[in-house]
Amino acid sequence: MKQYAKQFNPMTILAIETSCDETAIAILEAGRDYFSVRKSLIASQANIHAQYGGVVPEVAARTHITCIIPLIKKAIGERVPDVIAVSAGPGLITSLLVGVHTARALSYLYKKPLARINHIEGHIYASWLKKKGTGNMVEGRVKFPALALIVSGGHTELILMKNHGRYELIGKTLDDAAGEAFDKAAKILDLSYPGGPAIACRARKGNAQKAPLPIPMIDSKNYSFSFSGLKTAVLYRVRDLKKNGQYSPKMRDHLCASFQHSVVSVLVAKTISAAKEHTVSSVLLGGGVAANHSLRKNLAHAVSKMRPKPELIVSPLQYCTDNAAMIAVAAFFKVRKSVFASPIFCQADPLWDITNE
Ligand code: KG4
Ligand code: ZN
């Protein structure tokens, strides 16, 4: 910490995130006991992939290549950052390679240290960020042990965080991720990509009880999730309703409400059980699906009834979906411990498990 204070007070971290279909660049300014997001730029490819109903890896990688340098130039201007950070996995290998190789080149060229960040760890550290424009205290409100529910297009994980950098994976999906299930169900329901916001919007007008769907794994005595059967249940229900001439826009709203209810119910139930079993002091919610209003509301309600009551820290909306500010914050905590990667050997790892360094 002393070493950090001497070398980097204050410092700027340039963070790069290209693990899926967003090219994201952030500049974090950090002092001894604060950090603040100076820039958080995102070039979303959602419109490009919408025509295919999901992310096409080759298209994503090609788009990252054209976007990344102009976005970095826009973010840094004339100023050379003190640290380069990059999301090195998990994610799509072709997308990750663009960010990792750009970061390696910048680190080598500028002779600045390189921080290699796990994308899921980034989603966890979004909980240390406050809403745009406000200063961010280093320690924030998070108290350890903390339980993080990270729900995104590629992941559904319950992670016990004992301290900075100390993780235990206590539950995950056995098949589709929650966001992936939203996206696939949306496709079946002829809704646009990404499916999460599209389903959430229709769900507000529907009634879950008018089209009940199963709540997968709700009674299993573990912290595993499974969403692929739920998606298939939607597929068969739509097929049957269409056959009987009962598939109306209203019925689609009901199915959206029901689908969302099933996903949210199981996520909340397992998070609360795990929080109780591990007697955590904080519950963190992050990842793209954490933008879901129903999930935020129901988890807040369930946590508020716990005794003793842990602190619930939900990532600010703009830092739920993929962004580079969260990667910069994760990097900040690595820099404090002087944990750096080599610009020559830093590798992308599409399957990087957060419990491995
Ligand atoms: O974290 P993220 O941007 O990318 C990954 O790391 O995967 O998450 C994207 C996922 C998509 O599957 C999208 O449908 C979902 O987050 N999502 C939502 C909502 N907003 C985004 N799911 C449910 N409700 C939302 N409001
Ligand atoms: Zn993500």
Side-chain angles (χ1 to χ4, degrees), residues 322-334:
D322 286 350
N323 66 89
M326 65 185 195
I327 302 301
V329 178
F332 171 80
F333 285 96
K334 286 240 190 306

Side-chain angles (χ1 to χ4, degrees), residues 5-227:
K6 215 163 85 196
Q7 285 183 350
F8 299 113
N9 191 21
M11 64 170 173
T12 52
I13 299 175
L14 164 70
I16 300 174
E17 159 58 49
T18 63
S19 66
C20 189
D21 62 341
E22 328 274 4
T23 317
I25 304 294
I27 301 285
L28 190 85
E29 185 189 300
R32 212 174 338 199
D33 54 3
Y34 79 96
F35 51 77
S36 192
V37 179
R38 288 286 172 240
K39 292 258 167 60
S40 180
L41 309 179
I42 301 172
S44 174
Q45 305 174 10
N47 287 342
I48 300 171
H49 298 288
Q51 57 188 302
Y52 308 109
V55 178
V56 181
E58 171 71 12
V59 175
R62 271 191 256 149
T63 314
H64 284 310
I65 289 169
T66 54
C67 289
I68 194 161
I69 299 297
L71 216 57
I72 290 174
K73 277 189 176 162
K74 195 171 165 189
I76 65 175
E78 297 300 308
R79 197 169 168 182
V80 175
D82 299 304
V83 176
I84 316 293
V86 65
S87 172
L92 300 172
I93 184 63
T94 41
S95 289
L96 290 166
L97 283 172
V98 179
V100 168
H101 284 272
T102 305
R104 282 172 54 173
L106 290 177
S107 164
Y108 191 75
L109 186 76
Y110 289 147
K111 299 192 172 36
K112 297 293 178 187
L114 178 64
R116 181 177 184 259
I117 305 300
N118 182 292
H119 177 77
I120 301 299
E121 192 173 22
H123 277 302
I124 292 176
Y125 276 101
S127 288
W128 269 257
L129 283 163
K130 289 188 190 164
K131 278 186 194 150
K132 217 173 170 177
T134 60
N136 305 284
M137 297 308 293
V138 169
E139 295 307 338
R141 289 183 295 143
V142 180
K143 300 278 175 291
F144 298 116
L147 176 73
L149 171 65
I150 302 302
V151 265
S152 72
H155 300 272
T156 302
E157 294 180 357
L158 275 170
I159 298 156
L160 187 63
M161 185 177 185
K162 293 169 190 161
N163 209 325
H164 293 292
R166 287 187 56 214
Y167 306 103
E168 189 186 324
L169 181 65
I170 62 167
K172 62 176 186 168
T173 182
L174 302 175
D175 41 56
D176 291 354
E180 185 182 358
F182 267 102
D183 295 338
K184 287 179 175 170
K187 205 168 178 180
I188 295 166
L189 295 163
D190 294 316
L191 295 171
S192 56
Y193 172 85
I199 288 186
C201 176
R202 299 282 178 316
R204 261 181 242 126
K205 296 178 263 173
N207 179 345
Q209 284 165 1
K210 297 251 166 93
L213 288 166
I215 303 180
M217 314 269 304
I218 192 78
D219 295 319
S220 71
K221 299 273 172 273
N222 55 36
Y223 301 121
S224 300
F225 300 94
S226 165
F227 295 109

Side-chain angles (χ1 to χ4, degrees), residues 254-325:
H254 296 328
L255 279 168
C256 286
S258 182
F259 176 84
Q260 180 175 269
H261 171 76
S262 292
V263 175
V264 168
S265 301
V266 69
L267 290 175
V268 170
K270 298 217 174 196
T271 304
I272 298 298
S273 304
K276 283 182 181 162
E277 184 185 330
H278 294 276
T279 346
V280 297
S281 303
S282 318
V283 175
L284 317 181
L285 176 62
V289 182
N292 186 278
H293 178 70
S294 171
L295 175 59
R296 295 164 88 91
K297 196 179 84 182
N298 283 285
L299 187 60
H301 180 69
V303 169
S304 75
K305 289 196 297 190
M306 286 177 67
R307 293 294 176 269
K309 184 164 78 71
E311 184 90 24
L312 175 67
I313 300 151
V314 179
S315 303
L317 267 182
Q318 73 269 34
Y319 300 123
C320 284
T321 42
D322 286 350
N323 66 89

